[in-house]
Amino acid sequence: MILVLMAVQVQAKQELIHELPAEDYIIFSCVCLFLVLMAGLMSGLTVGLLSIDELDLEMKLANGTDQEKAQARRVLPIISKHHLLLVTLLLANAVCMEALPIFLDEMFGKVVAILLSVSFVLAFGEVLPQALCTGPNQLKIASRSVPVVKFFMVLLLPISYPIAKGLDKCLGVSHSKKYKNEDLKTLITLHQSFQQDPKESIGLVENQIKIIHGAIDMNKELVKDHMIPYEKVYVLSNETVLNKRNLREVVSQGFSRIPVFKGSNRDHILGLLLVKKLVGIDEGEVIGGIPLRKPIYVHPAENILELLGIFQEGKSHMAIVTENPLNPQAKNLGIITLEDVFELILKSDILDEDDYDKISQLLRVPRKGSEHLVRRAVGRRPLTLRIPQFEESLL
């Protein structure tokens, strides 16, 4: 509005259109059109290219379509030179913007030249190009513009390179964005789907989110925080005779593996007894005569993720937590099993058939403090599942 009023005021004092040969009008018009288009292209690419995340391009290279992989492969080398790209595009845009009023001034009066320059630059040099370059076809446009960008990077290299190096020195070199663990967990949570049918959901269901969170947290979890204290562990001496009473006791515990110690020294673990090997054992057999599984010893400060790698080797699914893993007779602090690691990943307890039977029996006999009795019956850490859930499953 102010520019229009200024034009009206000086209309009588200033020539609106200069008298020039027709050839000059054609040449200057073509130059102005070229400058507007180039300024728009540089403006759009400045926003479009610099708003593309390198991490997103890396993901497209890994699991995108063939077309997306080809586009990402062309754009990624340009994006990685962040400051050089920024300076090149801004410099080319500034040259076009500053040159446009000069050529307009040759054809029109100053007020008209300013009005035309502002109008063309705003509409065709800023708004439309930036809207196109940041729209749904952002990567496609960026990929097709790579040759033009490379041309200007080479053309303006003597000016843009020193400035880009100065920015790298002062602000640091830009790198691909990597999420921290907590940020990654939040990102996963935001992708939760609330659809009742998992087949119809396009996001993650609650159990999937728990598993992913558990896997992320494994790197900071230690054995000592999840082991079962040794004084609560059911163990047997290698001198134990397997008579009817002892066999009944072993079976009633419901464990698949039982640590066996030497003589009366509970800290000297000889190995692990696989309860399934008792099938067909004659009465009166001594436990020391049954082949035992060689135990795994771990330190309480061992990382759970490293422990999972040890379990994956298949030597054993139970580890003895001891003060000195290199000394079999060192003081034992507890045990930890592959099931404990899985529970940590799933962020919930895994109930086997024996646990379920014990809980079922207790829930059918209502009494005060039944939750405490359930915990004692299971013989593990407090259950994360609520008791009413078991009641509903038993109806």
Side-chain angles (χ1 to χ4, degrees), residues 169-188:
K169 188 71 173 178
C170 297
L171 304 178
V173 181
S174 299
H175 295 285
S176 177
K177 181 179 179 181
K178 301 294 183 182
Y179 290 103
K180 297 179 181 179
N181 285 352
E182 295 302 320
D183 295 336
L184 187 58
K185 288 168 61 178
T186 303
L187 180 64
I188 295 298

Side-chain angles (χ1 to χ4, degrees), residues 51-184:
S51 62
I52 297 177
D53 191 1
E54 287 187 49
L55 183 60
D56 185 51
L57 292 180
E58 292 174 0
M59 288 190 292
K60 291 187 183 300
L61 283 174
N63 55 16
T65 63
D66 293 339
Q67 182 180 7
E68 290 176 339
K69 289 180 179 179
Q71 294 171 350
R73 198 175 294 112
R74 296 183 65 186
V75 174
L76 189 57
I78 301 290
I79 297 294
S80 60
K81 303 174 183 178
H82 181 81
H83 287 147
L84 182 61
L85 175 64
L86 174 65
V87 175
T88 299
L89 295 178
L90 290 180
L91 185 59
N93 179 263
V95 171
C96 295
M97 290 287 194
E98 295 299 328
L100 179 61
I102 297 176
F103 289 95
L104 287 175
D105 190 54
E106 293 293 328
M107 295 186 294
F108 306 101
K110 293 183 178 180
V111 175
V112 177
I114 293 175
L115 289 174
L116 292 176
S117 177
V118 172
S119 301
F120 279 108
V121 168
L122 181 62
F124 303 102
E126 296 289 346
V127 178
L128 290 178
Q130 292 185 14
L132 287 174
C133 291
T134 57
N137 298 320
Q138 181 180 16
L139 183 59
K140 183 178 179 180
I141 295 174
S143 175
R144 293 186 176 181
S145 304
V146 168
V148 178
V149 175
K150 287 184 176 179
F151 171 77
F152 278 99
M153 290 179 74
V154 174
L155 180 66
L156 302 176
L157 189 64
I159 302 175
S160 60
Y161 183 78
I163 300 176
K165 280 297 180 182
L167 292 175
D168 291 342
K169 188 71 173 178
C170 297
L171 304 178
V173 181
S174 299
H175 295 285
S176 177
K177 181 179 179 181
K178 301 294 183 182
Y179 290 103
K180 297 179 181 179
N181 285 352
E182 295 302 320
D183 295 336
L184 187 58

Side-chain angles (χ1 to χ4, degrees), residues 63 72 76 93 105 118 158 205 207 248 259 295 301 308 313 319 346 351 353 384 392:
N63 55 16
L76 189 57
N93 179 263
D105 190 54
V118 172
V205 298
N207 285 339
R248 190 180 298 111
L308 179 60
E313 296 176 1
L346 298 175
L351 301 179
E353 295 87 345
T384 57
E392 293 175 1

Side-chain angles (χ1 to χ4, degrees), residues 22 112 226 256 274 280 292:
V112 177
H226 302 279
S256 60
L274 301 183
L292 302 176

Side-chain angles (χ1 to χ4, degrees), residues 83-374:
H83 287 147
L84 182 61
L85 175 64
L86 174 65
V87 175
T88 299
L89 295 178
L90 290 180
L91 185 59
N93 179 263
V95 171
C96 295
M97 290 287 194
E98 295 299 328
L100 179 61
I102 297 176
F103 289 95
L104 287 175
D105 190 54
E106 293 293 328
M107 295 186 294
F108 306 101
K110 293 183 178 180
V111 175
V112 177
I114 293 175
L115 289 174
L116 292 176
S117 177
V118 172
S119 301
F120 279 108
V121 168
L122 181 62
F124 303 102
E126 296 289 346
V127 178
L128 290 178
Q130 292 185 14
L132 287 174
C133 291
T134 57
N137 298 320
Q138 181 180 16
L139 183 59
K140 183 178 179 180
I141 295 174
S143 175
R144 293 186 176 181
S145 304
V146 168
V148 178
V149 175
K150 287 184 176 179
F151 171 77
F152 278 99
M153 290 179 74
V154 174
L155 180 66
L156 302 176
L157 189 64
I159 302 175
S160 60
Y161 183 78
I163 300 176
K165 280 297 180 182
L167 292 175
D168 291 342
K169 188 71 173 178
C170 297
L171 304 178
V173 181
S174 299
H175 295 285
S176 177
K177 181 179 179 181
K178 301 294 183 182
Y179 290 103
K180 297 179 181 179
N181 285 352
E182 295 302 320
D183 295 336
L184 187 58
K185 288 168 61 178
T186 303
L187 180 64
I188 295 298
T189 304
L190 293 175
H191 283 74
Q192 181 175 359
S193 172
F194 295 97
Q195 295 287 341
Q196 297 295 330
D197 188 358
K199 296 180 180 180
E200 298 179 358
S201 64
I202 58 174
L204 301 173
V205 298
E206 184 178 359
N207 285 339
Q208 288 177 306
I209 294 176
K210 285 184 178 180
I211 292 174
I212 297 174
H213 284 191
I216 294 175
D217 291 336
M218 282 183 66
N219 195 39
K220 62 182 181 180
E221 299 290 347
L222 301 178
V223 169
K224 64 180 180 181
D225 298 324
H226 302 279
M227 69 179 186
I228 301 173
Y230 192 63
E231 58 270 14
K232 296 182 179 180
V233 177
Y234 180 76
V235 294
L236 292 172
S237 172
N238 67 327
E239 299 176 354
T240 302
V241 178
L242 293 173
N243 51 36
K244 289 184 178 180
R245 183 178 62 83
N246 290 336
L247 281 171
R248 190 180 298 111
E249 180 184 347
V250 170
V251 173
S252 65
Q253 296 298 321
F255 300 123
S256 60
R257 295 165 180 79
I258 300 175
V260 177
F261 60 88
K262 183 177 181 180
S264 59
N265 185 5
R266 288 173 55 90
D267 287 325
H268 188 185
I269 301 296
L270 294 176
L272 302 177
L273 172 65
L274 301 183
V275 177
K276 65 182 180 180
K277 290 188 176 182
L278 296 180
V279 177
I281 292 293
D282 296 330
E283 186 178 354
E285 184 76 25
V286 180
I287 286 184
I290 302 175
L292 302 176
R293 195 74 179 178
K294 187 178 180 180
I296 297 174
Y297 295 96
V298 295
H299 194 272
E302 187 88 19
N303 186 274
I304 290 290
L305 192 59
E306 296 175 357
L307 177 62
L308 179 60
I310 297 175
F311 281 145
Q312 285 179 310
E313 296 176 1
K315 296 179 181 180
S316 178
H317 288 177
M318 177 185 291
I320 308 298
V321 185
T322 178
E323 294 178 344
N324 185 5
L326 300 179
N327 182 9
Q329 301 186 30
K331 180 177 177 56
N332 296 326
L333 303 177
I335 64 169
I336 188 168
T337 65
L338 181 60
E339 183 178 338
D340 295 321
V341 177
F342 284 160
E343 289 177 350
L344 183 60
I345 298 176
L346 298 175
K347 288 190 174 294
S348 63
D349 286 318
I350 301 174
L351 301 179
D352 55 27
E353 295 87 345
D354 188 66
D355 295 336
Y356 186 84
D357 292 340
K358 292 177 181 178
I359 295 172
S360 302
Q361 184 178 3
L362 287 172
L363 289 177
R364 287 194 176 97
V365 183
R367 64 179 67 180
K368 187 176 181 180
S370 59
E371 183 179 356
H372 174 67
L373 292 176
V374 168

